[in-house]
Amino acid sequence: MNINLYLDVKDIEHISNYCIDNFADEVMETIRIANDVSNNTFKFEWKWDMERTFIPYTFTKDIIWDKAPNNDEEWIFMLNRHRYWITLGQAYVLTKDEKYTKTFIRQLTHWIKNVIPVEGTEKTTWRTIEAGIRGENWIKAYSYFSNSEYIDEETTRIFVESLKEHGEYLYSNYSDARKLSNWGVLESHGLLVIGLFLNDKELSEKYIQESLRRLEEQIGLQVMEDGMHWEQSPMYLNEVLHCYLDTINLCKRNNIEIPNIILEKTKKLAYANLYMKKPNHKQICQSDSDDTDLRDMLTKAAYLFEDGVLKFGSYEEIDFESIWDLGYDSIKKYKGIKVKYPEYVSYGFEDSGNYYMRSGWSAHDNYMYFHCGTLGSGHGHADLLHISVFANGEDYLIDPGRYTYIEGNEEREYLKSCKAHNTTIVDDEEFTKLNGSWSYNSVATPIKHPFISKDAYDYLEGSHLGYMSKGIFTNRSVIYIKPDIWVLVDRFYGEGTHKYNQIFQFAKNIELKNEKTICKGNNGVLTLHHINKLDKHIEKKIVSYHYNQIELQDKLITTLKGDGFTSILTVINSSKKESNISIEKIPVRNCNGRVLEDHEAEAIRIINKENTYILTICHNEIFKGKKLLNVYGYHIYGKVVLITENNEGIKKEVIKY
């Protein structure tokens, strides 16, 4: 057995002392959870637990490994992944208390004797994904206990025999469908760890070679060229990233050649994290994702790739979670990596259709996320043209999350639906229609447009075909005037009279005042200026920042009935106190003096203390009369034109021709 697969005995002792000296809170939390587990009390609460829980459950007698006390089968899966055994092992290293070893042996022995892979268990305790995850969790935990006097020959024997059973199970139960699934990566990574651990040359070589072959093929299929994972869920992107970072770490430690595509695309996954993370370092709750801090993933990636840009988005020093995988020497090596500023501030992932606009990289800079890409897997949500806004160090407009995976659950189906996202809906019909918790009856096709990013502004645009059965082409564009103004342009190309709704899910309470929607946060204000005369009403709707966690927050629904082409203009402004801008809609003329109709072009004038902005948006081709336009005395030509007036002069920029 390769007991020192991750850390050797000396390393573990150094890490224990370092964690006690530098991570008091994490050490206390580790011991608290380990104490609960020793009493057969389970609450899955580590930040990367895929399906977290917030209510503990205690088995008063023996553990029932296929029991779901909350009627959610995901509880069974979490119980059988045994992540908590790593916590037991860490608590043992930190305290030298043998009660944790005894708990590990008792639970391990009971599981091996009672959880047998027979017909039906492939859907509960012996799903292949859990078998793969156990490969990593078991071996890490065992290595922490390896010096205990209670780890006797019999415990080691049944442990190794069960790992061999796991290895053969993973080796033999692989299908083509796994090639394009995060499941396949989790399975293959587990097979690799088992192969590296076993002291059986023939089995080890078989498992290592096959797992690397699978991992190489999987990353080529699953990770787009822009670095995003095809399933369109940051939570599962990071489950995949974890496996590949661990693969690279283990291969480096064991002098195993790593396929280039694994190195290249793992680094791209890490960069996706860097550019997607909000100023508070957390991921968007896009699709089936939680509000999780990304810095530990970035720290590990920065270390393994010796990358200063990734370190820019990471912890300043090796964090508690990473040091147990990377070793004590990583502390010094990580300090030696020089931080580099990212090449981009705003970034468009144009293969996957995920766009991130920001005013800068500080914790209090402004940030908007926009999605116009494929649905992804069953983890994907009906969120085409969704926007999220983070400003003044806090969330304002949000993706409401996932809450649960229970089939038939009304909250689950709502949170996946169009009406839960900050997008537009026509005639009260969803553009993508669900069929339960995991399937769809119909899915809208996204139409992506080029992303433009300049020092003074960003421009993006997205469309979809979800209402083509109604003869309506749906389009949304955002003109981000940096640092604190976003102009949202919703356009509906079609004929006949229709009802158009905008959805805005807020993280906080809102109020309606004149033609404004005001959201007051802890540090500032986000104001929506509604240029059109809209009906508006507020509802309390559910949001979920973590699996099994739910709360109510304000949701704004605007309504406009339009005949033929219809546009809705919304100016979003972030400020420290009340909105610091004034807005007026101004006429657009051609050079002969004809005033253009709204379906041809619209313009607005935005004034703040420093600047006056004149923004013109042409919705359709102008073919009546001359095409040279006159807006507020300025002659312009272009589809989207921004004029900035200030003390330094006048600047005219054609954003889109």
Side-chain angles (χ1 to χ4, degrees), residues 493-504:
Y493 295 84
E495 297 181 351
T497 301
H498 297 277
K499 175 184 173 184
Y500 300 105
N501 293 123
Q502 294 172 306
I503 310 295
F504 297 99

Side-chain angles (χ1 to χ4, degrees), residues 18-19 21-23 26 47 281 293-303 310-324 326-337 339:
Y18 182 78
C19 289
D21 291 341
N22 293 277
F23 299 112
E26 289 86 346
K47 62 181 286 190
H281 308 292
D293 195 310
L294 296 170
R295 281 176 291 181
D296 57 337
M297 290 290 181
L298 285 165
T299 298
K300 192 176 289 186
Y303 172 80
L310 292 176
K311 188 177 179 181
F312 174 86
S314 307
Y315 289 114
E316 289 184 14
E317 297 184 351
I318 293 288
D319 59 287
F320 177 83
E321 196 67 24
S322 298
I323 196 171
W324 294 90
L326 301 178
Y328 186 72
D329 287 346
S330 66
I331 299 167
K332 182 178 179 180
K333 291 178 182 177
Y334 186 73
K335 285 182 178 179
I337 300 172
V339 173

Side-chain angles (χ1 to χ4, degrees), residues 115-140:
V115 184
I116 312 299
V118 296
E119 185 176 354
T121 58
E122 76 280 357
K123 296 181 180 179
T124 56
T125 55
W126 271 91
R127 296 196 312 171
T128 50
I129 182 175
E130 273 72 58
I133 293 170
R134 285 196 292 267
E136 175 187 357
N137 291 345
W138 281 28
I139 289 166
K140 283 183 177 178

Side-chain angles (χ1 to χ4, degrees), residues 210-228:
E210 178 60 15
S211 62
L212 285 174
R213 185 195 68 78
R214 292 178 186 178
L215 288 165
E216 181 178 9
E217 183 177 25
Q218 288 159 358
I219 203 167
L221 290 167
Q222 295 185 30
V223 179
M224 301 181 188
E225 284 304 308
D226 64 9
M228 284 290 180

Side-chain angles (χ1 to χ4, degrees), residues 26-249:
E26 289 86 346
V27 168
M28 288 178 61
E29 188 75 350
T30 297
I31 294 169
R32 178 189 66 79
I33 294 173
N35 287 338
D36 282 348
V37 174
S38 295
N39 293 320
N40 282 0
T41 297
F42 299 95
K43 187 171 74 163
F44 312 116
E45 52 193 313
W46 286 116
K47 62 181 286 190
W48 288 111
D49 280 342
M50 280 185 269
E51 290 82 39
R52 292 177 69 178
T53 60
F54 295 86
I55 300 172
Y57 181 83
T58 301
F59 291 96
T60 55
K61 295 182 180 179
D62 288 337
I63 298 170
I64 304 171
W65 296 101
D66 59 356
K67 181 179 178 64
N70 61 353
N71 297 315
D72 183 357
E73 61 182 1
E74 299 294 334
W75 205 95
I76 300 173
F77 308 150
M78 290 300 302
L79 182 67
N80 285 273
R81 288 168 186 167
H82 302 148
R83 167 62 178 84
Y84 44 86
W85 287 350
I86 292 178
T87 305
L88 280 175
Q90 291 171 340
Y92 172 68
V93 169
L94 293 164
T95 65
K96 308 299 187 292
D97 191 334
E98 293 290 357
K99 77 174 181 180
Y100 302 122
T101 317
K102 294 174 183 178
T103 299
F104 172 66
I105 294 170
R106 170 172 54 83
Q107 293 181 358
L108 171 73
T109 303
H110 186 265
W111 190 92
I112 291 172
K113 289 181 178 179
N114 290 277
V115 184
I116 312 299
V118 296
E119 185 176 354
T121 58
E122 76 280 357
K123 296 181 180 179
T124 56
T125 55
W126 271 91
R127 296 196 312 171
T128 50
I129 182 175
E130 273 72 58
I133 293 170
R134 285 196 292 267
E136 175 187 357
N137 291 345
W138 281 28
I139 289 166
K140 283 183 177 178
Y142 183 85
S143 69
Y144 302 146
F145 292 115
S146 59
N147 274 350
S148 170
E149 62 181 300
Y150 291 96
I151 300 293
D152 56 20
E153 290 185 7
E154 178 59 16
T155 300
T156 300
R157 185 189 68 80
I158 65 170
F159 179 77
V160 172
E161 287 304 311
S162 187
L163 276 181
K164 288 181 178 179
E165 184 178 35
H166 277 76
E168 200 56 36
Y169 186 76
L170 291 167
Y171 184 85
S172 303
N173 288 277
Y174 185 66
S175 65
D176 285 346
R178 297 286 190 264
K179 295 177 181 179
L180 196 62
S181 170
N182 68 79
W183 274 42
V185 174
L186 291 159
E187 295 167 11
S188 302
H189 168 249
L191 183 62
L192 173 69
V193 182
I194 292 169
L196 287 167
F197 180 80
L198 292 175
N199 194 24
D200 183 318
K201 186 177 181 182
E202 184 178 345
L203 271 184
S204 293
E205 288 182 358
K206 181 173 82 168
Y207 293 162
I208 292 168
Q209 289 176 9
E210 178 60 15
S211 62
L212 285 174
R213 185 195 68 78
R214 292 178 186 178
L215 288 165
E216 181 178 9
E217 183 177 25
Q218 288 159 358
I219 203 167
L221 290 167
Q222 295 185 30
V223 179
M224 301 181 188
E225 284 304 308
D226 64 9
M228 284 290 180
H229 190 265
W230 80 277
E231 294 195 58
Q232 295 283 24
S233 170
M235 191 79 180
Y236 291 90
L237 178 153
N238 278 288
E239 291 297 331
V240 168
L241 176 59
H242 164 79
C243 290
Y244 280 105
L245 290 174
D246 200 56
T247 294
I248 292 168
N249 182 37

Side-chain angles (χ1 to χ4, degrees), residues 463-524:
S463 312
H464 68 73
L465 306 182
Y467 293 115
M468 289 306 290
S469 61
K470 292 178 168 292
I472 296 173
F473 180 75
T474 305
N475 177 277
R476 168 172 276 183
S477 59
V478 177
I479 303 97
Y480 175 30
I481 304 172
K482 300 177 183 179
D484 54 14
I485 298 170
W486 299 267
V487 180
L488 187 66
V489 184
D490 288 313
R491 290 179 276 212
F492 307 93
Y493 295 84
E495 297 181 351
T497 301
H498 297 277
K499 175 184 173 184
Y500 300 105
N501 293 123
Q502 294 172 306
I503 310 295
F504 297 99
Q505 177 63 61
F506 286 86
K508 302 168 180 68
N509 293 337
I510 59 175
E511 60 176 308
L512 302 177
K513 185 177 181 181
N514 300 324
E515 294 305 316
K516 301 176 185 178
T517 300
I518 300 168
C519 180
K520 294 181 180 179
N522 298 319
N523 309 317

